[in-house]
Amino acid sequence: MTFDLPNVSWEAISTDPGKYAQLFRSQEDEHRRHAYKFTKLRKFAEALLDKQEELNIWKSDGIPDHPNRQARSAEEAEPGDVPRDRRARVCKLAAQSPERLFKVRDIAQELGIENEKSLRTSLDSYVHKDHALKKNSNAEYSAGPRVAEYAN
């Protein structure tokens, strides 16, 4: 797509700059609308290309298992193995010291979790949905009534 500049003399522009500023602004807006559409089309084509490449990988290597399904089963786990599931790891830690109060930072450090914000969200879920942990008014977590169910 080519853009033809208007055939306007500099003298005409200098005699009525307001008129030409408005004209050029409207043409600029029109080109932005077209550019937006091309951007949408390009992104769509790139997404299709990514999916096509992924499909080709699946054809050759098979569809990958769900990440949680790739973890070894409990029977295959060796003594002392660290559970890969975050909830199980947190509950195992809390179950080891049921009376201990943990800050988010303490749990993150002990389990090697870098994203404390994500961990806090998970912990709150374990409190409210799973009842695996308890949380006090100082935002400290401890073993909850169902911690043993998830610690294994």
Side-chain angles (χ1 to χ4, degrees):
M1 178 176 211
T2 61
F3 298 105
D4 295 324
L5 294 175
N7 191 10
V8 180
S9 69
W10 292 111
E11 293 81 24
I13 294 173
S14 64
T15 57
D16 195 357
K19 169 186 167 188
Y20 288 100
Q22 180 61 33
L23 173 71
F24 297 147
R25 192 175 298 116
S26 68
Q27 288 179 352
E28 184 181 11
D29 290 343
E30 182 64 26
H31 290 301
R32 273 197 193 105
R33 281 191 288 278
H34 286 294
Y36 172 79
K37 290 177 183 178
F38 280 108
T39 301
K40 294 290 283 184
L41 286 170
R42 177 188 52 82
K43 288 181 179 181
F44 182 77
E46 288 172 348
L48 283 176
L49 183 61
D50 289 344
K51 290 297 179 187
Q52 190 175 40
E53 290 171 1
E54 186 177 8
L55 182 61
N56 288 335
I57 292 170
W58 287 4
K59 284 179 181 177
S60 63
D61 300 342
I63 298 173
D65 290 336
H66 188 280
N68 291 341
R69 303 290 185 257
Q70 291 175 347
R72 292 185 305 185
S73 67
E75 300 85 42
E76 296 173 326
E78 296 175 15
D81 271 0
V82 176
R84 293 176 58 175
D85 177 21
R86 179 181 278 186
R87 180 176 56 193
R89 292 174 62 207
V90 168
C91 290
K92 185 174 183 179
L93 178 65
Q96 288 171 351
S97 306
E99 302 302 318
R100 181 175 170 192
L101 298 174
F102 293 92
K103 289 283 197 187
V104 174
R105 183 180 303 116
D106 300 332
I107 297 171
Q109 286 175 345
E110 292 207 31
L111 298 179
I113 297 171
E114 294 180 15
N115 189 338
E116 289 182 22
K117 218 178 221 185
S118 170
L119 176 60
R120 180 177 293 112
T121 302
S122 296
L123 293 173
D124 288 339
S125 168
Y126 308 155
V127 169
H128 299 293
K129 288 172 54 178
D130 301 331
H131 305 290
L133 298 176
K134 295 185 286 188
K135 181 178 179 182
N136 66 18
S137 60
N138 294 326
E140 296 169 319
Y141 297 87
S142 62
R146 296 179 59 199
V147 72
E149 292 176 40
Y150 297 105
N152 298 326

